[in-house]
Amino acid sequence: MPRLAVALTCCLVALTGCGADPVATKATDTDPSEFTTEVTNPWFPLEPGTRWTYRETTEDGETLDVIVTATSVTHEIANGATARVVRDTVTRDGEVLEDTLDWYAQDGAGTVWYLGEDTAEFESGQVATREGSFEAGVDTARAGVIMPASPEVGTSYRQEFYKGHAEDEGEVLATGRHATVPAGDYRDLLLTADTTPLEPDVLEHKYYASEVGLVLTIDKETGGREELLSVTQVSSAEARRAGEARLGEAY
């Protein structure tokens, strides 16, 4: 059975709530060619060159800068799919704390799939850990759903699965919500909850605006917030550099 079919079966089961076993037991007819790197889901758009800048405030009052760039680079996933590379960099006073390449693709129905990440946390300029990195089709790792095509209240889904390393889950809590962040006043927002069995106390509420994406994250355990500051477009050259630069390097 193709590894992609295994991953898709697993996540389709999670989406419909028909089972909890992370290991699929039967194949589907889904083919890797049904995936596209053109991610156009209105709640999670990834047009190459788009950059989202966030300000994260921790429970201790520390302020971090978060820059997320939809790059023009694609990545061939071990399970046979091709994914859009998205760069997510966290800094404090210009020092890189965490740097990640995330891999996303969209199916024919408009569901956005999360196919893995290459991530590193830094201390004093050196890689301290790469915990959390995974790629669908490698070892026991499976793809996950990051945004359903038509999110409805009560829909739950597995966002990723690499046993013991990456087991995030999501659920749609509400629609029609409102939030004010430095980037603007947003209405008709989609509200989701992110959890993981690896850290049972963790609960994040995320607010998504149509045609924009994520605008606000609230850590319900600590009170920390990540707020959207701006959405901008970068040059095609910079969009490519963001996807090709080594983790921890400026781009």
Side-chain angles (χ1 to χ4, degrees), residues 24-245:
T25 57
K26 58 184 178 181
T28 71
D29 295 328
T30 304
D31 187 90
S33 64
E34 293 191 16
F35 276 69
T36 176
T37 59
E38 301 303 311
V39 180
T40 58
N41 184 308
W43 301 107
F44 204 89
L46 295 178
E47 180 184 354
T50 305
R51 174 167 291 169
W52 298 262
T53 301
Y54 299 90
R55 178 182 60 213
E56 179 179 348
T57 305
T58 70
E59 61 179 313
D60 301 322
E62 184 178 40
T63 299
L64 308 177
D65 299 310
V66 182
I67 296 178
V68 178
T69 305
T71 80
S72 57
V73 177
T74 60
H75 177 69
E76 299 299 320
I77 304 297
N79 65 10
T82 302
R84 172 70 53 199
V85 177
V86 175
R87 189 69 172 262
D88 187 333
T89 306
V90 182
T91 62
R92 179 182 58 215
D93 297 328
E95 178 187 0
V96 176
L97 302 181
E98 184 173 353
D99 201 5
T100 303
L101 297 177
D102 291 307
W103 303 315
Y104 300 98
Q106 184 172 292
D107 67 19
T111 293
V112 184
W113 295 81
Y114 186 40
L115 300 167
E117 62 180 286
D118 183 9
T119 186
E121 295 180 19
F122 294 82
E123 293 182 4
S124 302
Q126 302 297 317
V127 176
T129 179
R130 301 184 72 92
E131 181 65 23
S133 297
F134 77 100
E135 183 170 343
V138 176
D139 199 4
T140 62
R142 300 288 183 260
V145 169
I146 203 68
M147 182 59 67
S150 300
E152 298 180 356
V153 175
T155 300
S156 60
Y157 43 95
R158 175 169 290 143
Q159 296 175 329
E160 58 186 11
F161 185 76
Y162 182 25
K163 189 172 179 60
H165 301 277
E167 299 185 27
D168 289 3
E169 300 173 351
E171 180 180 358
V172 178
L173 295 183
T175 58
R177 292 302 179 95
H178 165 249
T180 300
V181 295
D185 188 64
Y186 294 93
R187 298 183 181 276
D188 296 323
L189 300 178
L190 178 71
L191 171 62
T192 70
D194 284 7
T195 58
T196 172
L198 299 180
E199 298 179 74
D201 293 334
V202 170
L203 172 61
E204 289 185 339
H205 282 183
K206 294 186 175 182
Y207 294 79
Y208 295 86
S210 181
E211 308 300 339
V212 176
L214 182 65
V215 300
L216 174 65
T217 300
I218 300 176
D219 188 321
K220 302 299 288 185
E221 179 189 9
T222 68
R225 295 169 64 91
E226 184 174 297
E227 301 174 300
L228 182 65
L229 300 182
S230 64
V231 182
T232 57
Q233 290 293 129
V234 301
S235 68
S236 57
E238 189 168 1
R240 174 160 293 277
R241 284 198 300 270
E244 295 178 340

